[in-house]
Coordinates of all heavy atoms in Angstrom, one line a residue:
I1 N 99.8 17.1 68.8 CA 99.0 16.3 67.9 C 99.9 15.8 66.8 O 100.3 16.6 65.9 CB 97.8 17.0 67.3 CG1 96.9 17.6 68.4 CG2 97.0 16.1 66.4 CD1 95.9 18.7 67.9
V2 N 100.3 14.5 66.9 CA 101.3 14.0 65.9 C 100.5 13.4 64.8 O 99.4 12.7 65.0 CB 102.1 12.9 66.6 CG1 103.1 12.2 65.6 CG2 103.0 13.5 67.7
E3 N 100.9 13.6 63.6 CA 100.2 13.1 62.4 C 101.3 12.3 61.5 O 102.3 12.9 61.2 CB 99.6 14.2 61.6 CG 99.1 13.8 60.2 CD 98.7 15.0 59.4 OE1 98.5 16.1 60.0 OE2 98.6 14.9 58.2
D4 N 101.0 11.1 61.2 CA 101.9 10.3 60.3 C 101.2 9.2 59.6 O 100.1 8.8 60.1 CB 103.0 9.8 61.2 CG 104.3 9.5 60.3 OD1 104.2 9.5 59.1 OD2 105.3 9.2 60.9
V5 N 101.7 8.7 58.5 CA 101.3 7.5 57.9 C 102.3 6.5 58.4 O 103.4 6.2 57.8 CB 101.4 7.6 56.4 CG1 100.9 6.3 55.7 CG2 100.5 8.8 55.9
A6 N 102.1 5.9 59.6 CA 103.1 5.1 60.3 C 102.8 3.6 60.1 O 101.8 3.1 60.5 CB 103.1 5.4 61.8
R7 N 103.8 3.0 59.4 CA 103.8 1.5 59.3 C 104.2 0.9 60.6 O 104.6 1.6 61.6 CB 104.7 1.1 58.2 CG 104.3 1.5 56.8 CD 105.4 1.3 55.8 NE 105.0 1.4 54.4 CZ 104.8 2.6 53.8 NH1 104.9 3.7 54.4 NH2 104.4 2.6 52.5
P8 N 104.0 -0.5 60.8 CA 104.2 -1.1 62.1 C 105.5 -0.8 62.8 O 105.5 -0.5 64.0 CB 104.1 -2.6 61.7 CG 103.1 -2.6 60.6 CD 103.5 -1.4 59.8
L9 N 106.6 -0.9 62.1 CA 107.9 -0.7 62.7 C 108.1 0.8 63.1 O 108.8 1.1 64.1 CB 109.1 -1.2 61.9 CG 109.2 -2.8 61.9 CD1 110.2 -3.2 60.8 CD2 109.7 -3.3 63.3
Q10 N 107.6 1.7 62.2 CA 107.7 3.1 62.6 C 106.9 3.4 63.8 O 107.3 4.2 64.6 CB 107.4 4.0 61.4 CG 107.5 5.5 61.6 CD 108.9 5.9 61.7 OE1 109.8 5.2 62.1 NE2 109.2 7.2 61.5
L11 N 105.7 2.8 63.9 CA 105.0 2.9 65.1 C 105.8 2.4 66.3 O 105.7 3.1 67.4 CB 103.7 2.1 65.1 CG 102.4 2.9 64.5 CD1 101.2 1.9 64.5 CD2 102.1 4.1 65.4
R12 N 106.5 1.3 66.2 CA 107.3 0.9 67.3 C 108.4 1.9 67.6 O 108.7 2.1 68.8 CB 107.9 -0.5 66.9 CG 108.9 -1.1 67.9 CD 108.1 -1.3 69.3 NE 109.0 -2.0 70.2 CZ 109.0 -3.3 70.5 NH1 108.0 -4.1 69.9 NH2 109.8 -3.9 71.3
N13 N 109.0 2.5 66.6 CA 109.9 3.6 66.8 C 109.3 4.7 67.7 O 109.9 5.2 68.6 CB 110.4 4.2 65.5 CG 111.6 3.5 64.9 OD1 112.4 2.9 65.6 ND2 111.8 3.6 63.6
Y14 N 108.1 5.0 67.4 CA 107.4 6.1 68.1 C 107.2 5.6 69.6 O 107.4 6.4 70.5 CB 106.0 6.4 67.5 CG 106.1 7.4 66.4 CD1 105.9 7.1 65.1 CD2 106.2 8.8 66.7 CE1 105.9 8.0 64.1 CE2 106.3 9.7 65.7 CZ 106.1 9.4 64.4 OH 106.1 10.3 63.4
T15 N 106.8 4.4 69.8 CA 106.6 3.9 71.2 C 107.9 4.0 72.0 O 107.9 4.4 73.2 CB 106.1 2.5 71.3 OG1 107.1 1.6 70.9 CG2 104.9 2.3 70.4
E16 N 109.0 3.8 71.4 CA 110.3 3.8 72.1 C 110.7 5.3 72.4 O 111.2 5.6 73.5 CB 111.4 3.2 71.2 CG 111.2 1.7 71.1 CD 112.0 1.0 70.0 OE1 112.9 1.7 69.4 OE2 111.9 -0.2 69.7
S17 N 110.5 6.2 71.4 CA 110.8 7.6 71.6 C 109.9 8.2 72.7 O 110.4 9.1 73.4 CB 110.8 8.3 70.3 OG 111.8 7.9 69.4
F18 N 108.7 7.8 72.7 CA 107.7 8.4 73.6 C 107.5 7.6 74.9 O 106.4 7.7 75.5 CB 106.3 8.6 72.9 CG 106.3 9.8 72.0 CD1 106.6 9.7 70.6 CD2 105.9 11.0 72.4 CE1 106.5 10.8 69.8 CE2 105.8 12.1 71.6 CZ 106.1 12.0 70.3
A19 N 108.5 6.9 75.2 CA 108.4 6.0 76.4 C 108.0 6.7 77.7 O 107.4 6.2 78.6 CB 109.7 5.2 76.6
G20 N 108.4 8.0 77.8 CA 108.1 8.8 79.0 C 106.8 9.6 78.9 O 106.6 10.4 79.8
C21 N 106.0 9.3 77.9 CA 104.8 10.1 77.6 C 103.6 9.3 77.6 O 103.7 8.1 77.4 CB 104.9 10.9 76.3 SG 106.4 11.9 76.1
E22 N 102.4 9.9 77.9 CA 101.2 9.3 77.7 C 100.6 9.6 76.3 O 100.4 10.8 76.0 CB 100.2 9.7 78.8 CG 99.4 8.5 79.3 CD 98.5 9.0 80.5 OE1 97.6 9.7 80.3 OE2 98.8 8.5 81.6
V23 N 100.4 8.6 75.5 CA 100.1 8.9 74.1 C 98.7 8.2 73.8 O 98.6 7.0 74.0 CB 101.1 8.3 73.1 CG1 100.7 8.6 71.6 CG2 102.5 8.9 73.4
L24 N 97.8 9.0 73.3 CA 96.5 8.4 72.8 C 96.6 8.1 71.3 O 96.7 9.0 70.5 CB 95.4 9.4 73.1 CG 94.0 8.9 72.7 CD1 93.4 7.9 73.7 CD2 93.0 10.1 72.5
L25 N 96.6 6.9 71.0 CA 96.8 6.5 69.6 C 95.4 6.4 68.9 O 94.6 5.5 69.3 CB 97.5 5.1 69.5 CG 97.7 4.5 68.1 CD1 98.4 5.5 67.2 CD2 98.4 3.2 68.1
V26 N 95.2 7.2 67.9 CA 93.9 7.2 67.2 C 94.1 6.8 65.8 O 94.9 7.3 65.0 CB 93.4 8.7 67.2 CG1 92.0 8.7 66.4 CG2 93.2 9.2 68.6
S27 N 93.4 5.7 65.4 CA 93.4 5.3 64.0 C 92.4 6.1 63.2 O 91.2 6.1 63.5 CB 93.1 3.8 63.9 OG 94.1 3.0 64.4
V28 N 92.9 6.7 62.2 CA 92.0 7.6 61.3 C 91.7 6.8 60.1 O 92.5 6.5 59.3 CB 92.7 8.9 61.0 CG1 91.7 9.8 60.1 CG2 93.1 9.6 62.2
R29 N 90.4 6.4 59.9 CA 89.9 5.6 58.9 C 89.1 6.4 57.8 O 88.5 7.4 58.2 CB 89.1 4.4 59.4 CG 89.7 3.7 60.6 CD 90.7 2.6 60.1 NE 91.2 1.9 61.2 CZ 91.7 0.6 61.1 NH1 91.6 0.0 60.0 NH2 92.1 0.0 62.2
C30 N 89.0 5.8 56.6 CA 88.2 6.4 55.6 C 88.2 5.4 54.4 O 89.2 4.8 54.1 CB 88.9 7.7 55.1 SG 87.9 8.6 53.8
H31 N 87.0 5.2 53.8 CA 86.9 4.2 52.8 C 87.5 4.7 51.5 O 87.7 5.9 51.3 CB 85.4 3.8 52.5 CG 84.5 4.9 52.1 ND1 84.5 5.4 50.8 CD2 83.5 5.6 52.7 CE1 83.6 6.4 50.7 NE2 83.0 6.5 51.9
L32 N 87.9 3.7 50.6 CA 88.7 4.0 49.5 C 88.1 5.0 48.5 O 88.8 5.9 48.0 CB 89.0 2.7 48.7 CG 89.9 2.9 47.5 CD1 91.2 3.5 47.8 CD2 90.1 1.5 46.8
E33 N 86.8 4.9 48.3 CA 86.1 5.8 47.3 C 86.3 7.3 47.8 O 86.6 8.2 46.9 CB 84.6 5.5 47.2 CG 84.4 4.2 46.5 CD 84.6 2.9 47.4 OE1 84.8 3.1 48.6 OE2 84.5 1.8 46.9
E34 N 86.1 7.5 49.0 CA 86.3 8.9 49.5 C 87.8 9.4 49.5 O 88.1 10.5 49.2 CB 85.8 9.0 51.0 CG 85.9 10.4 51.6 CD 85.2 11.5 50.9 OE1 84.4 11.3 50.1 OE2 85.5 12.7 51.3
L35 N 88.7 8.4 49.8 CA 90.1 8.8 49.7 C 90.4 9.2 48.3 O 91.1 10.2 48.1 CB 90.9 7.6 50.1 CG 90.9 7.1 51.5 CD1 91.7 5.8 51.7 CD2 91.6 8.1 52.4
E36 N 89.9 8.5 47.3 CA 90.3 8.8 45.9 C 89.6 10.1 45.5 O 90.1 10.8 44.7 CB 89.9 7.6 45.0 CG 90.7 6.4 45.2 CD 90.4 5.2 44.3 OE1 89.2 5.0 44.0 OE2 91.3 4.5 43.9
R37 N 88.4 10.4 46.0 CA 87.7 11.6 45.7 C 88.6 12.8 46.2 O 88.8 13.8 45.5 CB 86.3 11.7 46.3 CG 85.5 12.9 45.9 CD 84.3 13.1 46.8 NE 84.6 13.4 48.2 CZ 85.0 14.6 48.6 NH1 85.1 15.6 47.7 NH2 85.3 14.8 49.9
R38 N 89.1 12.7 47.4 CA 89.9 13.7 48.0 C 91.2 13.9 47.2 O 91.6 15.0 47.0 CB 90.2 13.4 49.4 CG 89.0 13.4 50.4 CD 89.3 13.0 51.8 NE 88.1 12.9 52.6 CZ 88.1 12.4 53.9 NH1 89.3 12.0 54.4 NH2 87.0 12.4 54.5
E39 N 91.8 12.8 46.8 CA 93.0 12.9 45.9 C 92.8 13.7 44.7 O 93.6 14.6 44.3 CB 93.5 11.5 45.5 CG 94.3 10.8 46.6 CD 94.9 9.5 46.0 OE1 94.4 8.9 45.1 OE2 96.0 9.1 46.6
R40 N 91.6 13.5 44.0 CA 91.3 14.2 42.8 C 91.1 15.7 43.0 O 91.4 16.5 42.2 CB 90.1 13.5 42.1 CG 90.3 12.1 41.6 CD 89.2 11.7 40.7 NE 87.9 11.6 41.4 CZ 87.4 10.6 42.0 NH1 88.2 9.4 42.0 NH2 86.3 10.6 42.6
E41 N 90.5 16.0 44.2 CA 90.2 17.4 44.4 C 91.3 18.2 44.9 O 91.3 19.4 44.9 CB 89.0 17.5 45.4 CG 87.7 17.0 44.9 CD 86.5 17.2 45.8 OE1 86.8 17.7 46.9 OE2 85.4 17.0 45.4

């Protein structure tokens, strides 16, 4: 289970490194208000 804050080109780096693997790419979303609440806590 890989976890990263991956920008577009870093994602491309991952696709190249994992060329021999099957990878399920999951976008983890959350609205800003909740993100900021978690930061404070």
Side-chain angles (χ1 to χ4, degrees):
I1 301 165
V2 177
E3 170 191 341
D4 202 351
V5 182
R7 292 166 167 81
L9 284 168
Q10 182 69 335
L11 267 179
R12 180 58 175 258
N13 272 335
Y14 274 108
T15 68
E16 294 167 5
S17 293
F18 280 92
C21 307
E22 225 173 67
V23 180
L24 183 75
L25 178 57
V26 180
S27 288
V28 183
R29 310 279 184 152
C30 182
H31 62 73
L32 180 58
E33 291 78 7
E34 176 62 13
L35 292 172
E36 292 183 321
R37 184 192 69 77
R38 294 174 184 176
E39 276 187 336
R40 291 191 298 271
E41 290 189 354

